[in-house]
Amino acid sequence: MLSLSVNTLSPLSPIIHKKLLFSNDHHKPSAVKPISATSTPSNPQQQLYQPFRPPPSTTVPSEYRSLDTTGRLEILSNRLGLWYEYAPLIPTLIQEGFTPPSIEEATGISGVEQNRLVVAAQVRDSLVKSNTDPEILSAFDTGGAELLYEIRLLSATQRAASAQYIIKNRLDAKGAQELARAMKDFPRRRGNKGWESFDYTLPGDCLSFMYFRHSREHKNPSEQRTAALEQALKVAETEKAKGTILEELEQKNGGEGGKEEVIKEGVRVPVVRLKMGEVAEANSVVVFPVCRAEERDKELLEAPFECRSEGEFGVVVAEKGWKRWAVLPGWEPVVGLGKGGVVVSFADARALPWKVNRWYKEEAILVVANRRRKEVAADDGFYLVAVDGGDWGLRVERGSKLKEMGVNESLGTVVLVVRPPREETDNQLSDEDWE
């Protein structure tokens, strides 16, 4: 039931209610008191949509607490005071029944900016509670809402460290967003090459590792790879991180020769678990046709070989139509495959020669193979072959086993195995996990 403290025979119309809320005429007494926004309607079916109403802020400056609705709207309209002082007025208006559009209409502050101001003020409050240096806090007094909003997803400790880094290095909103993303993502990258050389507690090292990781998405050698490594070296804070980056830079002239030696000695197949949102965050991506393992070699032989990007928008063009495609980050093992690249989807990871006693994983996987390298050359290599009988159609076998069976040609050399993304982080598989 809706409890009202007014004497009226009919409910107030929205127009009258709006006039009462926004009236600036203080000389004419109002016969009706504003309806509380916290009241419960007597008929729930008449109000199907309930907008989100955040709790009132506890950091409203004392000089603003006694203001009525009109006064608070005036403060917001004229931006009177510092942004973090008037930002808490927005939740109080929401509590009274205002919506972001109605606040925008009355004050000129868009819904996006309202959200940014409120969240940034909450971030600043957490910095105050973390005893952040007052000089750092004061640096956010002008234009700080955009910067603090970007570090909203970090922990209190990370916020304090990142805030100091942002001011010290004069980052803009985009730079702050990139820093926050690098710090948030760092723990999930455990097991990636070089990860242990970077310090998780230092924002610069987290940012450096992100650039270091991006460098491996480009060919070696290439200008893009070198530029990413130089950027990583520039922001790295620890000597250990700098040393790892310098080692990578010194190897940039190794080129394709190093890869040929690895192929002669044995093929190491990386097994990676795709991270949530990793494709969207990648600087470069690759697109491959996907074949189903249960179709044996039928789809594999029919899949298009040529797939390229054209024009300023990088529109993907294939030599012929195909129904299933996979988009992967431009990881080093796959970025140079070109026309020979193909992906085979397995519904069950047991189609690969895992060591069952350690990694018995009944999960879907993607196997990236190079169709231009069909010769079973390396004993330690892994190759895609069709099998008679069984549940998989296609299977991955080690080169030594195929040679014992007298098989000298495969459907393609396996270069990468991709496991599906999961919320939890687990260690990547090592060479010892293969049979």
Side-chain angles (χ1 to χ4, degrees):
M1 297 295 293
L2 181 63
S3 176
L4 301 177
S5 59
V6 296
N7 296 322
T8 178
L9 296 177
S10 59
L12 291 173
S13 70
I15 297 177
I16 296 176
H17 189 192
K18 183 176 180 181
K19 286 183 177 180
L20 287 170
L21 286 174
F22 292 91
S23 175
N24 291 322
D25 188 357
H26 301 290
H27 302 289
K28 296 180 181 179
S30 175
V32 183
K33 296 181 181 180
I35 300 176
S36 172
T38 59
S39 302
T40 305
S42 57
N43 186 1
Q45 295 181 352
Q46 293 179 357
Q47 191 172 352
L48 298 178
Y49 169 70
Q50 289 287 343
F52 171 69
R53 304 178 189 274
S57 174
T58 58
T59 58
V60 176
S62 57
E63 61 270 26
Y64 292 162
R65 292 174 188 170
S66 60
L67 292 175
D68 59 7
T69 301
T70 302
R72 279 174 284 167
L73 290 172
E74 184 178 353
I75 293 292
L76 291 171
S77 298
N78 297 291
R79 313 297 199 277
L80 300 178
L82 298 173
W83 66 268
Y84 62 85
E85 294 176 336
Y86 58 72
L89 298 178
I90 296 173
T92 66
L93 292 173
I94 296 291
Q95 281 291 313
E96 292 188 4
F98 281 83
T99 62
S102 64
I103 294 177
E104 179 178 359
E105 181 182 354
T107 66
I109 303 177
S110 68
V112 173
E113 189 178 356
Q114 291 172 40
N115 181 62
R116 184 186 298 120
L117 287 170
V118 173
V119 173
Q122 294 170 350
V123 172
R124 187 184 182 280
D125 285 346
S126 69
L127 292 177
V128 173
K129 294 176 182 178
S130 299
N131 298 319
T132 302
D133 187 343
E135 291 187 7
I136 297 295
L137 287 174
S138 63
F140 291 101
D141 287 354
T142 303
E146 286 186 287
L147 298 173
L148 294 182
Y149 175 80
E150 297 299 342
I151 63 174
R152 65 195 182 278
L153 298 180
L154 301 179
S155 67
T157 303
Q158 290 175 318
R159 287 177 180 179
S162 61
Q164 186 173 357
Y165 187 90
I166 289 170
I167 298 303
K168 180 180 178 181
N169 294 275
R170 299 180 180 181
L171 300 184
D172 56 11
K174 184 177 180 181
Q177 181 188 62
E178 199 169 53
L179 175 66
R181 183 178 298 171
M183 296 178 69
K184 187 73 175 177
D185 185 64
F186 187 87
R188 298 187 297 169
R189 299 294 175 178
R190 180 187 295 272
N192 286 20
K193 180 178 179 180
W195 184 88
E196 64 283 350
S197 299
F198 297 80
D199 191 336
Y200 171 57
T201 64
L202 299 176
D205 266 24
C206 292
L207 193 60
S208 177
F209 178 71
M210 184 184 73
Y211 295 140
F212 178 80
R213 182 171 54 83
H214 287 172
S215 73
R216 302 188 62 77
E217 297 177 0
H218 302 289
K219 292 181 180 180
N220 184 22
S222 67
E223 293 182 3
Q224 297 92 334
R225 182 182 177 87
T226 301
L229 288 171
E230 290 176 347
Q231 196 173 15
L233 184 62
K234 181 179 179 181
V235 298
E237 297 189 53
T238 62
E239 293 302 320
K240 190 174 183 180
K242 293 177 182 178
T244 299
I245 299 167
L246 286 172
E247 286 181 10
E248 199 78 6
L249 278 169
E250 291 171 359
Q251 296 174 5
K252 70 179 183 179
N253 294 323
E256 299 296 326
K259 292 182 181 179
E260 290 297 330
E261 292 178 5
V262 172
I263 290 174
K264 290 178 182 179
E265 295 175 1
V267 180
R268 296 180 181 272
V269 178
V271 181
V272 298
R273 184 177 293 284
L274 192 66
K275 307 295 182 181
M276 294 289 185
E278 187 168 12
V279 174
E281 296 177 4
N283 287 352
S284 62
V285 297
V286 290
V287 181
F288 295 124
V290 178
C291 303
R292 292 167 293 187
E294 57 267 25
E295 293 293 327
R296 292 178 57 84
D297 56 350
K298 179 178 180 294
E299 286 189 344
L300 199 66
L301 297 175
E302 296 176 353
F305 268 80
E306 186 174 1
C307 178
R308 64 185 186 279
S309 57
E310 293 182 348
E312 297 179 358
F313 294 98
V315 177
V316 177
V317 179
E319 62 181 0
K320 61 181 178 179
W322 196 252
K323 293 182 179 180
R324 295 158 59 86
W325 297 88
V327 181
L328 299 173
W331 292 316
E332 186 177 0
V334 299
V335 74
L337 285 183
K339 297 180 180 181
V342 68
V343 171
V344 178
S345 62
F346 288 86
D348 195 323
R350 290 176 297 174
L352 276 69
W354 305 124
K355 282 186 176 179
V356 176
N357 61 338
R358 287 196 60 192
W359 291 101
Y360 186 78
K361 295 291 186 182
E362 296 183 24
E363 63 179 0
I365 56 169
L366 297 180
V367 172
V368 184
N370 185 355
R371 288 175 286 177
R372 292 184 297 179
R373 299 187 63 88
K374 297 183 177 181
E375 181 185 359
V376 181
D379 290 347
D380 292 335
F382 292 91
Y383 301 90
L384 198 63
V385 293
V387 294
D388 295 328
D391 299 326
W392 297 294
L394 295 180
R395 190 178 177 90
V396 173
E397 293 288 0
R398 188 181 287 273
S400 57
K401 183 174 181 178
L402 293 176
K403 288 182 178 180
E404 291 175 2
M405 298 166 59
V407 178
N408 298 318
E409 185 173 306
S410 66
L411 296 173
T413 301
V414 176
V415 297
L416 183 71
V417 177
V418 184
R419 304 169 73 188
R422 284 184 177 178
E423 290 293 343
E424 67 272 12
T425 302
D426 58 354
N427 294 328
Q428 306 294 353
L429 302 186
S430 62
D431 293 338
E432 291 76 15
D433 298 313
W434 296 90
E435 287 183 349

